[in-house]
Structure formats: structure tokens, C-alpha cells
Amino acid sequence: METTREGAKKIAHDSTVQALNQLLEKNYDAENGYKNALIETKSAQLKPYFTKQAARRSRNANELYKAIRNLNATPVEKGSAKAAVHRTWLDLKTAIVGKNDESILKECTRGDIAAVNEYEKVLNDPEYLLDSKGIIRKQLHSIQQTLKTIKKLKDIVD
């Protein structure tokens, strides 16, 4: 019986580490996305906002990195390959079409909606260790607030 309990703990641990690493990648990607948005935008109103969001995602990444280390595991060191391919596609699209503030905000919204979905999936899975869920809830709330703010910003740049 003891072996089964230890095996279940190991599975929960490994699953939690994997989920936290996925969220860590998502934050690396979002930080880079907001830095790119900062470069692309022409709006003096949006530049400080994008700077703040990049910094927030960096803090999120640092918190997740520490949480993974606290589980005696190895955190990922950079964003996902999928995001790198997406950024390359966006660079090509930008070269052909150009970017305006509305399309930049649309991309930020798309990325943050994907992040919210991933955070909610982790929170709703009972398999993951509870110790990590406080950080995840806090970060999810922050991203949800960001989405509300982006909606308001879209109205300004229209």
C-alpha cells in the first residue's frame, strides 16, 4: 500500500512540474510578445502599458521558476518552439502587411486568452499539487485583469 501512495505522489509531483513548466513557457512567450508589441506600437499611450505587461510576465516567470525549483525540479529556460514559429509568422506578416495598434492589441488578446485557458486547466485539475495553486490563481487573476484593460485600450485606438 505504501508503494502505491508513493507512486501516486511521484505522478502528482511530475504532473505538477510539467504543468508549471508549461505556464513558465507561456510567460516567457508573453514577455517576449509584449516586448515585441512595445517595439511595434506607434502609440505613446500603449508603450508604458506594454512595458508594464512585459515586466509583469517576467515576474510571473520568476515566481514559477522558483516554484519548480522548490519541487526539486528543473525549470525550462526559454519560451516554446511553437511560439517561436508563431513569432516568425508574425514577422513575415508584418513585413507584408504592416502592423497597427489595433492588430497588435488583437494579438495580445489572443495570447492572453490562450494563457487564461491554460491557467484554468491547471487550476481545475485535481492531480496537481495544491502548494502551487496559490501562485497560479494570483497570476490567472492578473492576466484576466489584463484582458479587461486591453478591451478598454482597443476602444481608445479605434
Side-chain angles (χ1 to χ4, degrees):
M1 187 77 165
E2 196 63 37
T3 308
T4 306
R5 189 176 302 147
E6 288 304 312
K9 280 184 175 179
K10 171 91 172 103
I11 290 170
H13 173 272
D14 293 350
S15 296
T16 301
V17 169
Q18 182 179 6
L20 292 176
N21 266 322
Q22 288 172 346
L23 294 178
L24 179 57
E25 279 185 341
K26 194 64 95 181
N27 278 282
Y28 288 148
D29 294 342
E31 179 184 0
N32 288 328
Y34 278 110
K35 285 178 179 176
N36 288 336
L38 174 63
I39 292 166
E40 296 290 335
T41 188
K42 310 290 186 267
S43 170
Q45 289 177 303
L46 293 178
K47 285 186 182 290
Y49 179 75
F50 291 147
T51 301
K52 178 181 171 185
Q53 290 307 314
R56 178 173 286 156
R57 297 315 163 83
S58 177
R59 282 191 305 273
N60 285 357
N62 287 334
E63 288 176 352
L64 291 166
Y65 190 96
K66 288 176 187 172
I68 295 165
R69 283 285 183 208
N70 287 340
L71 292 170
N72 295 317
T74 304
V76 294
E77 295 293 332
K78 60 182 178 176
S80 67
K82 182 179 176 184
V85 169
H86 181 69
R87 280 190 298 273
T88 302
W89 182 86
L90 284 177
D91 291 342
L92 177 61
K93 181 178 170 185
T94 301
I96 295 169
V97 181
K99 280 221 172 196
N100 61 36
D101 291 333
E102 187 177 353
S103 67
I104 293 168
L105 287 170
K106 204 175 282 189
E107 278 301 308
C108 292
T109 300
R110 187 197 56 72
D112 282 344
I113 287 171
V116 164
N117 291 336
E118 194 156 338
Y119 271 81
E120 287 176 341
K121 180 179 156 191
V122 171
L123 278 175
N124 292 327
D125 192 323
E127 185 174 310
Y128 302 130
L129 300 175
L130 295 176
D131 295 349
S132 305
K133 290 197 175 184
I135 292 168
I136 296 168
R137 272 189 205 90
K138 180 180 70 99
Q139 290 183 5
L140 171 60
H141 178 72
S142 174
I143 296 168
Q144 289 169 328
Q145 293 306 310
T146 299
L147 282 169
K148 289 178 184 177
T149 302
I150 289 174
K151 187 173 192 242
K152 292 175 189 171
L153 291 171
K154 280 183 182 177
D155 294 339
I156 292 170
V157 298
D158 281 345

